[in-house]
Amino acid sequence: MTTPRPRPATVTVRIKATPDADTAPADFFVPGTHYGDGDGFKAHEQTHTFQCEHIALHPRPGAGPRAFGFLRNNAPGADWVSAALSKHDFPKWTRIPTNHTEPNGDDTPTDPTTP
């Protein structure tokens, strides 16, 4: 008869998710983070900004996660619109540092104006 080996202690560590965390997944959007699809060689009107607010799994089996948030064209005065992006959309976006200001000075969606 062999002596059972003691099980290793299980340690659960919870890390507060922050947009600047080095442990953020590199293969999908991170809530609270801005992304851009342009480069330094395109006009603002040819680029977009996506602000990720939430991640959820699509209800269709195998469809994968969706990043829900707000998207806008970087043209001056452009409005934010609701958007949902998939894992297939992710490769064209680049994370924007949190200390970055958008080209037109606006870096967050605002409440719609009421007439």
Side-chain angles (χ1 to χ4, degrees), residues 4-32:
R5 294 184 196 175
R7 295 183 132 205
T10 303
V11 178
T12 303
V13 178
R14 295 184 187 252
I15 300 171
K16 182 179 177 184
T18 59
D20 294 322
D22 291 333
T23 58
D27 62 344
F28 201 60
F29 299 97
V30 176

Side-chain angles (χ1 to χ4, degrees), residues 9-100:
T10 303
V11 178
T12 303
V13 178
R14 295 184 187 252
I15 300 171
K16 182 179 177 184
T18 59
D20 294 322
D22 291 333
T23 58
D27 62 344
F28 201 60
F29 299 97
V30 176
T33 305
H34 285 80
Y35 295 86
D37 69 349
D39 55 34
F41 302 103
K42 290 184 180 177
H44 298 309
E45 296 80 16
Q46 296 175 324
T47 63
H48 301 84
T49 297
F50 175 67
Q51 178 177 318
C52 181
E53 293 293 329
H54 181 73
I55 305 294
L57 286 177
H58 193 282
R60 187 179 74 233
R66 294 293 186 269
F68 293 92
F70 301 95
L71 177 73
R72 75 150 181 221
N73 180 289
N74 289 329
D79 286 335
W80 290 91
V81 296
S82 298
L85 302 178
S86 71
K87 209 165 182 130
H88 300 290
D89 298 315
F90 182 74
K92 77 173 191 173
W93 295 92
T94 304
R95 192 176 188 162
I96 299 173
T98 56
N99 61 353
H100 175 79

